[in-house]
Amino acid sequence: MELLEKRILNDGIVKEGNILKVDSFLNHQIDIGLMNEIGKELKRLFADKHVTKILTIEASGIAIASIAAQYFNVPVVFAKKAKSQNLDGELYTSDVKSFTYGKQYTITVSKKFITEDDKLLIIDDFLAVGNAMKGLIDVANQAGASVEGIAIMIEKGFQEGGKYLRDNGFNLQSLAIVDSMDNGQIIFRKQ
Amino acid sequence: MELLEKRILNDGIVKEGNILKVDSFLNHQIDIGLMNEIGKELKRLFADKHVTKILTIEASGIAIASIAAQYFNVPVVFAKKAKSQNLDGELYTSDVKSFTYGKQYTITVSKKFITEDDKLLIIDDFLAVGNAMKGLIDVANQAGASVEGIAIMIEKGFQEGGKYLRDNGFNLQSLAIVDSMDNGQIIFRKQ
């Protein structure tokens, strides 16, 4: 998606350790106009899918999932990263090793909100090694829901998450794929 | 807001310890249509304010802040609850004692995204003792930004957060105020 690639080139900051900071428009401050353009693009990409629910994970995925959900006219469910005393009852859980935070956590989704009748579009902001996404797919599988598509804002093409998902037959659409960030220069994969 | 009160009566679940679960439409599964009606109502309530940015806190505040931001045509900034290696540079920080989670945490906002020129609308899903809100106001004060208004989906009127904010002159608009939940019966304050 050209609009997103341009924004990444203009406002993204490459940091040591292959970190791409997009906190000025995507995951700390959020440009809602851009999110709407992304929402429209996701509807175009998944127009032939009968999505019943959008699944994402707190926190950065919630904004784009919520805006995009308007174009699909479906609810959003976000997986939680910590058990709270407010989230009881029957839960789907999956363990995720975080690349960004360098530690393990458990994601939880209430069984009430994903069922075998659901056709899910899973949305997240970043895809790198893919551990969070594997956790979300695991939750979908536990529920018996189908994964109609996976939408990622920024895929780090030099890490293995995207290849894993494509090799396993998922309909993965990454709006921008960064193939390298060597010396701070961002190279996008042609799509 | 009648629509929200009706939804709370229909789908909210009162649990022991004065917990009101609204996870079927507000803070785990999210009804985006309802969020849009809430967004329109917030624009009506704060129509005379020149809001430049909406400030919220992860995770539950992000969905409503993002949808509402469309009616104000401004960006969203969400305060983070944990330091990550991706969130470096100059930060505003404030310590918050969580009523829900029963522990203390630090909220952080990058200094890049709130400045003394900003006129903030602060949005959150719940207001109870008000500790998270005090943290967000502290961040706004550190930045020298003005707090034009505070919008809450559900205020627990039997806890002290709302009184504190009104006594201190804040323009607080709570779309539903629960005055009691004794024996599982939800009583709203007339507004």
Side-chain angles (χ1 to χ4, degrees):
Chain A
M1 186 186 182
E2 197 181 342
L3 184 69
L4 180 60
E5 291 182 355
K6 279 188 176 165
R7 189 62 176 274
I8 294 167
L9 289 176
N10 280 336
D11 295 336
I13 298 169
V14 178
K15 310 278 284 190
E16 254 185 281
N18 278 328
I19 290 172
L20 175 60
K21 282 172 69 80
V22 288
D23 60 355
S24 65
F25 59 96
L26 190 59
N27 52 19
H28 186 19
Q29 180 170 252
I30 302 159
D31 180 336
I32 300 295
L34 176 65
M35 293 304 110
N36 265 295
E37 293 306 314
I38 287 172
K40 287 178 210 168
E41 175 68 3
L42 294 183
K43 178 63 185 172
R44 191 185 69 79
L45 289 168
F46 296 101
D48 61 330
K49 305 295 179 189
H50 297 285
V51 174
T52 63
K53 216 160 264 186
I54 291 177
L55 176 64
T56 188
I57 183 167
E58 64 177 4
S60 309
I62 297 174
I64 175 59
S66 297
I67 299 292
Q70 298 174 122
Y71 298 95
F72 291 88
N73 204 23
V74 297
V76 169
V77 174
F78 67 87
K80 302 198 174 196
K81 283 183 183 171
K83 266 190 183 175
S84 88
Q85 61 188 64
N86 271 6
L87 187 79
D88 58 7
E90 294 286 304
L91 298 173
Y92 300 117
T93 68
S94 190
D95 292 329
V96 174
K97 188 171 183 314
S98 167
F99 176 77
T100 314
Y101 291 77
K103 57 185 175 188
Q104 188 139 336
Y105 59 92
T106 301
I107 65 172
T108 65
V109 174
S110 170
K111 290 188 179 178
K112 287 184 291 185
F113 304 133
I114 303 184
T115 74
E116 60 187 8
D117 296 327
D118 276 317
K119 299 173 187 300
L120 302 176
L121 173 61
I122 305 180
I123 295 182
D124 205 1
D125 56 345
F126 270 94
L127 177 68
V129 296
N131 288 342
M133 188 53 64
K134 286 178 189 171
L136 292 170
I137 292 168
D138 182 25
V139 162
N141 288 342
Q142 289 177 49
S146 68
V147 178
E148 296 294 313
I150 297 172
I152 296 292
M153 304 306 101
I154 303 174
E155 176 184 336
K156 288 178 170 174
F158 52 88
Q159 289 182 291
E160 66 267 28
K163 181 175 181 343
Y164 170 86
L165 293 172
R166 291 184 185 95
D167 286 352
N168 281 274
F170 287 100
N171 181 4
L172 168 65
Q173 301 285 346
S174 296
L175 298 185
I177 303 178
V178 175
D179 266 340
S180 71
M181 303 194 291
D182 297 342
N183 305 313
Q185 198 192 354
I186 297 168
I187 307 289
F188 293 107
R189 188 177 303 174
K190 285 213 167 39
Q191 298 199 76
Chain B
M1 186 186 181
E2 197 181 342
L3 184 70
L4 180 60
E5 291 183 355
K6 280 188 177 165
R7 189 62 176 271
I8 294 166
L9 289 176
N10 281 336
D11 296 336
I13 299 169
V14 178
K15 310 278 283 188
E16 256 184 280
N18 278 328
I19 289 173
L20 174 60
K21 281 173 69 80
V22 288
D23 59 357
S24 64
F25 60 94
L26 190 59
N27 52 20
H28 185 18
Q29 179 169 253
I30 303 160
D31 179 336
I32 300 296
L34 176 64
M35 293 305 111
N36 265 294
E37 293 307 313
I38 287 172
K40 286 177 208 167
E41 175 68 4
L42 295 183
K43 179 61 186 175
R44 191 184 69 79
L45 289 168
F46 296 101
D48 60 331
K49 304 295 180 189
H50 297 287
V51 174
T52 63
K53 214 162 268 187
I54 290 177
L55 176 64
T56 188
I57 183 167
E58 65 177 2
S60 309
I62 297 175
I64 176 57
S66 297
I67 299 291
Q70 299 175 121
Y71 298 94
F72 292 88
N73 203 23
V74 298
V76 169
V77 174
F78 67 88
K80 303 199 174 195
K81 284 183 180 169
K83 266 189 185 176
S84 87
Q85 61 189 61
N86 271 7
L87 188 78
D88 56 8
E90 294 284 306
L91 298 173
Y92 300 116
T93 69
S94 190
D95 292 328
V96 174
K97 190 174 180 314
S98 168
F99 175 78
T100 313
Y101 291 77
K103 57 186 176 187
Q104 188 140 336
Y105 58 93
T106 301
I107 65 172
T108 63
V109 175
S110 169
K111 290 187 179 179
K112 286 184 291 185
F113 304 132
I114 303 184
T115 73
E116 62 187 6
D117 296 327
D118 276 317
K119 298 173 189 298
L120 301 176
L121 173 60
I122 305 181
I123 294 182
D124 206 0
D125 55 346
F126 271 93
L127 177 68
V129 297
N131 288 341
M133 188 53 64
K134 286 178 189 172
L136 292 171
I137 293 168
D138 182 26
V139 162
N141 288 342
Q142 289 177 49
S146 67
V147 178
E148 297 294 312
I150 297 173
I152 296 292
M153 305 306 100
I154 304 175
E155 176 183 337
K156 290 180 171 173
F158 51 88
Q159 289 182 293
E160 67 267 29
K163 182 175 181 340
Y164 170 87
L165 293 172
R166 292 184 184 94
D167 286 353
N168 281 273
F170 287 100
N171 180 4
L172 169 64
Q173 302 285 345
S174 297
L175 299 185
I177 303 179
V178 176
D179 267 340
S180 72
M181 304 194 290
D182 296 343
N183 305 313
Q185 198 193 353
I186 298 169
I187 308 288
F188 292 109
R189 187 177 303 174
K190 286 212 165 39
Q191 297 199 78

